[in-house]
Structure formats: C-alpha cells, structure tokens
Amino acid sequence: MPHRLESESRKLLGRLREALAADSEGQARLDAVVNLIADQMRTEVCSIYLFRDAETLELCATKGLQEEAVHQTRMRLGEGLVGRTAKSRTVTNTADAPSEKGFRYMPETGEERFSSFCGVPIQRLGDVLGVLVVQSKDGREYTPDEVYALEIVAMVIAEMTELGAFVGEGAALSARHQQPVMLRGSIAQEGASEGQVYLHEPRVVVTNPISDDPETELSRLREAIDQLRKSVDNMLVGARTVDADQAQVLEAYRMFANSSSWVRRMEEDVNNGLSAEAAVEKEQSLARARLSKAGDPYLRERLHDLDDLSNRLLRTLTGQGADAQADMPDNPILVARNIGPGELLEYGKKIKGIVLEEGSVGSHATIVARAWAIPLIINAKGVTREALNGDTILVDGEQGIAHLRPDETVQSAFSDKIAMQTRAQERYASIRDLPAQSKCGSVISLQMNAGLIADLPSLEGSGAEGVGLFRTELQFLIRNQMPRRAELSALYSRVLKAAGGKRVAFRTLDIGSDKVLPYMKPNDEPNPAMGWRAIRVGLDKPGVLRMQLQALLRAANGQPLTAMFPFITQISEFRDAKAEMDKAIAREKKLGHPLPSKLDVGAMLETPSLAYAPDAFFEEVDFISIGGNDLKQFFFAADRENERVRKRYDTLDVSFLSFIEQVIKRCAAANTPLSFCGEDAGRPVEALCFAALGLRTLSMRPASVGPVKHLLRRVDLNEVKGIMDDAIARGDQSVRRAVSDWLVYQV
C-alpha cells in the first residue's frame, strides 16, 4: 500500500482519536466524527446509521444531508442501499446509486443531488452495529484504498460504540449491554435457575483501537503471533501421540495460524493506524462476514478455527481472560456459543444453568446437563454478543427463554416460580422412599438414567429403584484416545459399587449419529441418525465391542450383570451381538476370571422394525428397553435435531400409543420384561399414559422421579385407561387434552 495512504490513514485515525477523546456528549462525538471523515476524505456527505432495534436502522449523524433528517430517517434491515449493506455485511460501492436494485429515495434527507454511494458495515465480531456511508455528486466508484480506509474507520467506530462513546437520547444511542433482553431458544433441559453470566470464552474488549506508533504495535503483533504458533505446534506434538485424524485437523489449524496473507492484512492495518489488537479484531470481523455466508461446510468450519486463533491472539495482546476461573461468580450461568462434554465436565455441578447460542437436543453437552438436571437452553441467538460476565440472568428451561438483565417485574415473577418449584421438591422428598403405587394397586418401577460416576449419588436421593440406562459412551466421548479395558473395568466396577446392589443396565457403546468420537475418523453421511452407528459400529468393529464386554464382565466380578445392545433393528443383529457376549464369556472362563452370578442381555427397541421381529426374538432376549427418543423420531419420520419438525408430533398421539401397546402385548406374550427409557418417561402426563397402557418400568433423569411418582400415587390407572379409550373412540388424534382435562379435577 502506498506510503501516502498509510500516512493519510494514520492522520485520519489521529484526528478521530482526538474527537473521541473530547469531553462531550455522544451525539456531539458522532457529529464530530462524520465532519472529520468528510473533511479528510474530501467527500460531500458522510453519515452514520445505527440500529435502534434488531430490524431498524436510524440516521444518527450526517455531514452533507439535511440536519432535520437526523433521528427521523429510518429504514428496515435490507431496505435501501444502507439496509442492504447492513444485511449483507459487505461493502456497497456504486457510481450511480439511484439505478441500483433496491435503492430507496429518502426525500427528507436531500440526497437526490448525490450520485455515488459507498456504504461500509460497522461491525464487531459478526455483530453489525450500523453502516458508515459517504456520498458525492460526481458519478464515481470509491477506490479500493478509500474503501479500505473507511473499513479501518468503521472498525474504530464499532469498538467505540461497544465502549459507550456514543451514548445519548433515543433507542439508537442507548448504552449497549445495559438494557433488559429476552432471548428465546429451544428447550434442551427443563428447570429454572437464577444467577450471574459466566462466559465460557471471555469477551475481549479493545480499549485502545488507535495507535500512532506502528513500529511498537507491529512488534507486539509479531510477538503474539510467534507465541500463538508455538502453542499450536505444541498441541500438534501432543496430538501425534494420540491419533492421526486429530493431528490432521490440527495440521490444518496450524496452516491457518501460519497464513502469510492473514498476517499481512493485520500488519497493513497496523501500518494504517490501528493498534495490534484492533487489527486482529478487524480481520476477525471481516472474515466472519465472509465465511459465515459460505455454502461449503468446510469453509464454515474454518470460521471456528479463525475465531479460536483470533481470540487466542487477543487474549495474549490484552491479557484479558487469562485466569477466568478465578472470577467465577457464586451462582454461575454458563453462556457459550457451544461447548463439548469434556469442557462442561471440567466446570462440574457448580454451574447452575447453561445458555448456548448453538447446540442440539442430542449433543453430548445436553446429555451431561440432563444427567445433572441443569436447566439448558440451546439456539439462543445473540446471547454471546449481548451477555457480559456478571450480568444477572434468569434461565427458564420450561419455556426455552433466558432473561438477561431482567427488570423488577420479571425478576419478581421468576422468583415466585422458583419458590413454587422448591416447595414441589419438598413434597417429592417426602415420598422418596415410598413405592410408585397407583390407587388401583399397580406398582411402577421408576429408574434413572446415568452416564457418569458422579450421577450415582442421585440414585438414593431421587428415590429411583435402579439405573435403567447407563450410557457408556460418555467415557469415550470426553477423552482424546480410546480408553483401555482395565480403565473401563475399574470404572464399571465403581458404578456397580456406587449403586449399592441396585440393578444397573449398561448400554454398550452408542456412537455415531450426533455422538462422534474425537479420535475416530468421522463419516460424511447424508443422514447420520440412520447411518453407521451404535450396534452397527460394534459389529463392524468387533474388537471395540469385545473389549467393552470383557470390561463389563470383569467389573461384575461374580455379581449380577445387566447389559443391553443399542439400536437393534432385526433379530440377526441381536444374535450376532449376543454371540460376541458368548465369546467374551468363554474367554473370561478360560482365563479363570469369575463370571457374573446372573447375566441378563437385552436390546433397545428404537426402530419400528424390531417391533415386528419374529416371536423367537422376544423369546431369546432377556429384556427389552424402548428407546423413546430415537423411536419417536423414526416413527414420525421427524429428525429430533430439526427444530422445524421435532415438536410437530405428540408422544401421546394415538398412533404412537397404539404402537407402544403392540410392543407391550408381544412382550407380555413372551413373558419378556419391558421398560421405556427416554425424556418422555420423565414427563408426568406421558408417564401416566404409559403406565395405563401396561408399562411397569420407566427410566428417566433423576430429577423426574419425584414428579412422576407424585402423580402416579394420586390416580387410578384403570380410570386413566378409560379416558384414553374414550378419546380414541371419538377419533382424537392425541389423548393429551382428554387426560390433562381429567387430571384437573383429580389432583
């Protein structure tokens, strides 16, 4: 870039710094900014538009347009060239603005005299705050150098907006991160909690975006990049001792860190007057805008690499977020873009709630949150941009809503809700040691789901009679390498000991679909939920299955053992898996190891096909567990990861209940024990209907045992079945309304 441009850019930023440092109100600062930009760039118009709400831009300052239009001219996101620039997050540069598609003439501004238009988004880390516009009468496009200078200035304006330099009257000039915000997401784990925001990735604030000493800033930038590259090299060395696939991913990560074009752009920004950290953030914002719109999944994934590298650089340069754990509040609500199970486990149960910008209902982190009964909201768009460490936040897991910096009315109503839940928990505690026996005398065995040794203390506290599902894959997912047989055996032994003699049903490794091992080469499948997963992986890689079965047998050490195979779709798969168990038993016997005093081997029914298996299957299997989460998505052909369809179908739909009833009858005919495992088993109304159909064992998260038992003990299941039959006879699609209406007068 020519030396003249560098000096002119530094001169502009120097004058901008003086204007921003002046002891004046926010509006006066904005006015000074547009005046000096217009003067320095010798353009007839300079305007700044800022968002007054998520969909509306407002003209907040101008040099060259009618002053009366300030705070009066507004446009929707995508409307006109200004709105188009904000929506696309890219520069709009044209010599003939009126002829551009989407152009909107604003008569009150007096802009009809100006032909050329250049709009630059004012954005910070993917968050568009407004648009910087220059216009002139002569029909010309602004040069790349001029556009570059405007991007530099827009970055500084964004950073100063974040720091509150332009606070004034009106919505568009309101202070950021101070107003109450309601964020709506998706429910991943019910419950309610109140606390303070704890950001998983602390926000780095650039307080010195402008510098007049480029040599010093270049030295700081290069030193930080050297540290970054060394840390990536060290990660790669560690990965090589673990797994070649993970090393490949890190190798691509290192290539990004060593990108000469990335570094060169940041150095140019520094030469043009930005500080080192401001240069990093500018390139991060621009790259986010480009890559987030890429159609190629690989390119979108690289955005995460860039974000991570940029954030590491910013933490090195600013020193912010170096020891975040030390600043954790007393009641932390974890806020993150996304998080893995290992990272969540490191925080432990001290986390009182979780709000994620991304995530899914079947993710590993969701499984951990459910096991710990921590309220979790996913897909809460914008939460990482809006929230600051220490902000008060209310997490309503029942509604999928997070209230950030709530006002007194919302705070009071939420406190009442938590108080009611506390009183309900006290009622549940009073019946903890009593059986789940209905008024008609039917007794339902309520068991809990688990996946971590830390879950087992809930077995006694919840009143569960055993562990209906122990997810063994979590121990594989939170590691960087395949666990050894001895490690698994020791873990399973501790689980059995912690259960205190109560039954624990170990589900063998259920990976694939949404559960991909970090050290296992991912398979690019168009529909992974129906692809190579669970028992299919186990039978194709029998070495892993045998190792796990041997670990289970050794952990039992002569005690009773219950194991079940996931995602069995036909009798041949069960027989093949059972044959692997027989081989493992034969090997253990040959080695002289004690065998389980009693061994029950079951299957999970998660696809409709298994319900129509030959009678021989129901006679050969020791027990069957209905995997409700997967079965429901396959029964209704509705992906449970897809928010558009997963809530369209009701568990209490007559067709689904009729299907469950068929399974109950087939198991009863073969005298095969049957249970229902999944989220629906822990929802009181659903559990009640399952029990009325004849299911006598339900497995759920520990926190659901109390509410389900409380309802079951207060009703007659024969009456419930009659209500359901009447709804079916009327032609109702679901029995939910009929049962819920009846319950109003019963409990």
Side-chain angles (χ1 to χ4, degrees):
M1 182 166 293
H3 176 73
R4 178 183 175 280
L5 178 64
E6 293 177 7
S7 60
E8 287 296 318
S9 178
R10 285 202 297 272
K11 188 184 299 183
L12 172 59
L13 289 179
R15 293 181 62 188
L16 185 59
R17 178 169 57 187
E18 292 174 4
L20 293 172
D23 185 14
S24 55
E25 298 296 326
Q27 184 64 57
R29 283 200 180 104
L30 272 180
D31 293 340
V33 168
V34 294
N35 275 282
L36 75 87
I37 294 173
D39 179 57
Q40 189 74 31
M41 295 194 67
R42 299 177 180 84
T43 186
E44 290 148 299
V45 175
C46 178
S47 306
I48 291 177
Y49 297 79
L50 298 176
F51 278 100
R52 60 177 287 112
D53 57 49
E55 295 293 327
T56 311
L57 285 152
E58 179 175 300
L59 175 62
C60 291
T62 186
K63 165 67 182 301
L65 299 182
Q66 297 293 337
E67 291 185 8
E68 294 79 8
V70 174
H71 297 303
Q72 300 304 314
T73 295
R74 295 169 187 169
M75 59 197 70
R76 305 290 289 173
L77 180 65
E79 182 182 14
L81 300 187
V82 174
R84 188 178 84 182
T85 301
K87 186 173 183 178
S88 67
R89 294 188 286 179
T90 56
V91 174
T92 300
N93 186 9
T94 175
D96 186 7
S99 67
E100 284 288 317
K101 183 179 179 181
F103 173 80
R104 179 190 169 192
Y105 172 53
M106 313 289 284
E108 72 275 15
T109 65
E111 63 180 340
E112 68 275 6
R113 298 169 292 155
F114 307 106
S115 180
S116 66
F117 175 99
C118 184
V120 176
I122 300 170
Q123 55 187 333
R124 184 179 187 276
L125 304 182
D127 185 11
V128 180
L129 310 182
V131 179
L132 172 63
V133 175
V134 291
Q135 295 170 272
S136 59
K137 292 179 181 178
D138 56 321
R140 70 179 183 92
E141 285 193 7
Y142 287 85
T143 68
D145 288 345
E146 288 173 319
V147 172
Y148 178 80
L150 287 171
E151 287 180 332
I152 291 276
V153 172
M155 185 272 157
V156 174
I157 294 173
E159 205 59 47
M160 300 314 293
T161 301
E162 177 75 10
L163 293 171
F166 307 122
V167 174
E169 295 183 5
L173 298 185
S174 61
R176 290 173 60 78
H177 311 300
Q178 292 187 19
Q179 304 301 316
V181 177
M182 185 184 79
L183 298 153
R184 189 175 296 277
S186 303
I187 303 168
Q189 169 58 42
E190 295 90 347
S193 60
E194 175 182 356
Q196 289 75 47
V197 167
Y198 179 72
L199 293 170
H200 177 54
E201 294 181 341
R203 181 189 300 273
V204 175
V205 180
V206 178
T207 57
N208 59 329
I210 303 171
S211 170
D212 55 7
D213 187 355
E215 291 303 320
T216 298
E217 295 303 303
L218 281 174
S219 177
R220 293 179 62 234
L221 177 63
R222 289 164 181 164
E223 183 178 338
I225 290 172
D226 285 342
Q227 291 185 37
L228 175 69
R229 289 170 174 169
K230 288 176 183 176
S231 68
V232 174
D233 287 342
N234 290 336
M235 283 193 293
L236 191 59
V237 169
R240 284 199 176 109
T241 65
V242 176
D243 183 86
D245 293 321
Q246 188 183 18
Q248 266 190 338
V249 173
L250 281 174
E251 190 66 60
Y253 189 65
R254 182 168 70 172
M255 288 175 63
F256 212 141
N258 285 275
S259 168
S260 59
S261 59
W262 181 50
V263 175
R264 184 179 64 253
R265 287 193 299 272
M266 291 189 290
E267 290 178 343
E268 288 175 354
D269 295 335
V270 169
N271 280 325
N272 281 284
L274 291 183
S275 65
E277 43 268 72
V280 174
E281 194 165 275
K282 173 180 173 291
E283 291 307 315
Q284 185 179 10
S285 292
L286 292 176
R288 268 194 180 184
R290 289 193 301 267
L291 294 179
S292 62
K293 294 182 293 184
D296 187 342
Y298 176 82
L299 290 177
R300 289 200 302 271
E301 186 62 30
R302 298 287 68 77
L303 172 60
H304 294 292
D305 292 346
L306 173 69
D307 268 344
D308 189 50
L309 288 167
S310 299
N311 290 335
R312 286 169 181 263
L313 264 182
L314 287 170
R315 286 194 287 271
T316 299
L317 287 164
T318 65
Q320 298 175 30
D323 188 17
Q325 289 277 2
D327 300 324
M328 183 176 285
D330 293 335
N331 294 303
I333 303 294
L334 187 66
V335 173
R337 185 172 297 278
N338 214 333
I339 191 169
E343 294 170 307
L344 185 53
L345 288 169
E346 287 180 6
Y347 286 115
K349 293 186 178 181
K350 55 190 172 185
I351 297 296
K352 304 303 180 184
I354 306 170
V355 182
L356 299 180
E357 186 136 349
E358 299 172 358
S360 66
V361 294
S363 71
H364 318 143
T366 300
I367 292 171
V368 174
R370 284 175 177 164
W372 288 349
I374 298 174
L376 169 61
I377 297 173
I378 59 175
N379 301 319
K381 302 303 180 187
V383 66
T384 56
R385 294 196 305 267
E386 285 286 353
L388 294 179
N389 269 330
D391 279 346
T392 297
I393 185 170
L394 313 176
V395 181
D396 188 339
E398 273 79 24
Q399 302 296 322
I401 294 173
H403 297 278
L404 188 61
R405 300 180 291 270
D407 59 30
E408 290 184 8
T409 303
V410 173
Q411 180 89 56
S412 176
F414 198 81
S415 296
D416 291 344
K417 180 174 185 174
I418 290 180
M420 290 177 60
Q421 290 185 345
T422 300
R423 289 193 292 271
Q425 289 299 326
E426 291 172 354
R427 290 198 303 272
Y428 304 149
S430 68
I431 61 172
R432 182 187 61 191
D433 299 325
L434 299 177
Q437 182 172 348
S438 66
K439 286 185 175 181
C440 58
S442 300
V443 178
I444 312 301
S445 175
L446 303 184
Q447 305 195 3
M448 62 170 268
N449 302 331
L452 300 165
I453 189 69
D455 298 337
L456 272 299
S458 299
L459 184 56
E460 182 177 353
S462 67
E465 298 176 32
V467 179
L469 167 67
F470 190 90
R471 304 180 181 92
T472 61
E473 60 272 5
L474 287 181
Q475 302 307 316
F476 289 76
L477 289 166
I478 62 177
R479 301 170 63 98
N480 291 323
Q481 59 181 336
M482 183 75 72
R484 299 181 182 276
R485 180 175 54 199
E487 293 172 328
L488 290 179
S489 179
L491 169 70
Y492 300 153
S493 178
R494 291 199 301 274
V495 170
L496 290 170
K497 183 177 180 181
K502 293 183 177 179
R503 176 180 179 270
V504 179
F506 291 94
R507 182 179 69 186
T508 61
L509 192 58
D510 185 4
I511 57 171
S513 185
D514 58 320
K515 297 187 282 291
V516 180
L517 301 183
Y519 44 85
M520 192 171 181
K521 188 173 183 179
N523 289 285
D524 187 13
E525 296 181 301
N527 192 342
M530 300 176 71
W532 194 59
R533 55 172 293 198
I535 197 60
R536 296 169 179 174
V537 177
L539 294 177
D540 288 352
K541 289 186 174 293
V544 177
L545 178 60
R546 290 172 196 162
M547 181 267 286
Q548 189 178 25
L549 295 177
Q550 290 168 4
L552 285 168
L553 292 169
R554 293 181 187 183
N557 194 30
Q559 303 173 76
L561 176 66
T562 302
M564 57 183 175
F565 300 115
F567 209 63
I568 297 293
T569 63
Q570 52 190 9
I571 188 173
S572 62
E573 289 174 335
F574 176 75
R575 285 173 172 170
D576 290 344
K578 183 66 165 53
E580 292 297 336
M581 175 66 87
D582 293 339
K583 292 176 186 176
I585 292 173
R587 176 178 171 80
E588 292 303 293
K589 185 176 182 180
K590 185 176 181 180
L591 292 173
H593 295 159
L595 299 178
S597 58
K598 183 176 185 296
L599 176 63
D600 288 329
V601 181
M604 294 203 73
L605 192 155
E606 299 169 271
T607 63
S609 64
L610 194 61
Y612 300 99
D615 291 339
F617 166 73
F618 291 89
E619 294 165 358
E620 293 175 22
V621 71
D622 292 329
F623 66 94
I624 291 175
S625 176
I626 295 174
N629 297 342
D630 262 330
L631 177 61
K632 186 176 172 183
Q633 78 167 337
F634 293 127
F635 185 86
F636 290 112
D639 184 356
R640 63 191 178 109
E641 300 295 332
N642 188 332
E643 291 298 317
R644 291 183 175 181
V645 299
R646 77 181 185 91
K647 294 180 180 178
R648 294 168 70 104
Y649 302 98
D650 189 358
T651 304
L652 300 186
D653 187 286
V654 169
S655 59
F656 188 68
L657 293 180
S658 298
F659 177 80
I660 296 296
E661 194 167 26
Q662 288 183 44
V663 176
I664 293 172
K665 290 177 179 178
R666 293 206 69 183
C667 287
N671 199 28
T672 300
L674 175 67
S675 65
F676 189 103
C677 171
E679 289 302 301
D680 287 320
R683 297 189 171 101
V685 175
E686 282 86 335
L688 180 64
C689 292
F690 292 154
L693 288 178
L695 275 165
R696 290 297 174 261
T697 302
L698 303 174
S699 189
M700 62 202 71
R701 61 189 178 94
S704 296
V705 173
V708 170
K709 182 184 292 187
H710 177 72
L711 182 58
L712 286 172
R713 288 177 56 83
R714 303 179 70 181
V715 298
D716 184 320
L717 293 181
N718 294 320
E719 292 183 34
V720 177
K721 185 62 165 61
I723 297 297
M724 294 169 66
D725 289 343
D726 289 345
I728 294 171
R730 286 195 304 270
D732 291 358
Q733 180 168 302
S734 170
V735 304
R736 183 176 300 279
R737 175 173 292 182
V739 173
S740 297
D741 289 347
W742 177 79
L743 283 173
V744 170
Y745 300 100
Q746 303 298 316
V747 297

